[in-house]
Amino acid sequence: MERIQKAFEKRKGKAAILPFLTAGDPNFDDSLACFRALLQAGADLVEIGIPYSDPLADGKVIQDAALRSLQSGFSLPRIFEMTQLLRRESEAGLILFSYVNPVFQYGFERFFQDARKAGADGIIIPDLPFEESVDVRQAADAADIALIPLVTPTSGRDRIASISSEARGFVYCVSSLGVTGERVQMSERVEELVRTVRQSTPLPVAVGFGVSTPEQAQNIAAYADGVIVGSAFVRRIGQSLDQGQDAMLSTITEFFKELQTAVQ
């Protein structure tokens, strides 16, 4: 958890950009190279998405990425191999992203202990209801893995307070309803949501779901500690499949630098 805190502190009052990529997309080696490229470009935190065959919270771009990963033979245990390789090279925050079923099938305690050994710092589980998260949070706490919660503009003030008060690492504010994917506009209620969360926790607050342009990142950076960008990165990987690894690395690092410049 400490690396997550340090990553936000390192930004010195400026918002951090948190890129999300699907692990194993389009294959293990290319995926590892993409994560390395983002870390080398200056990402202080990255989200490592565990591919899942039924990603209900994700739009088509990330669904397609998960399918490519699974078709290439990627399986859950390889997430720890990939995380360990990245940890050997970087002290950035490494945050896993998984639906609850793969973690449940693997075994909560075993999953978090293996995640800790691999060097992971946190996890986001979008389909884990707060009311059913006690056992998972205890297993994560025992392994010093931050269970990062999500709140939405429709969560309600009391529920937001309850979720935020039990948060670890940071609080993930969902900017729009529905599945992940690039959006033309962000909800006007997101800034209010961030303010509400801050009333219940001293932890950093990051905004994601739908962020797709440097302009949107700049707007969010004016009131949030972090900007989470997923589909826009994953789409660029998908568009570069026929051009080879160098093209993939170039397009995602250039986009990352555009986002970083926007939030300075």
Side-chain angles (χ1 to χ4, degrees), residues 129-156:
F130 172 70
E131 293 77 10
E132 300 173 18
S133 65
V134 174
D135 290 345
V136 181
R137 190 182 312 115
Q138 289 176 346
D141 284 347
D144 196 32
I145 301 292
L147 179 60
I148 298 160
L150 286 81
V151 296
T152 74
T154 61
S155 293

Side-chain angles (χ1 to χ4, degrees), residues 9 34 54 93 97 100 105 132 142 148 170 176 191 255 263:
E9 291 175 349
C34 287
D54 191 20
F97 180 103
V100 69
Q105 294 295 330
E132 300 173 18
I148 298 160
F170 65 89
S176 54
E191 186 173 357
F255 182 53
V263 304

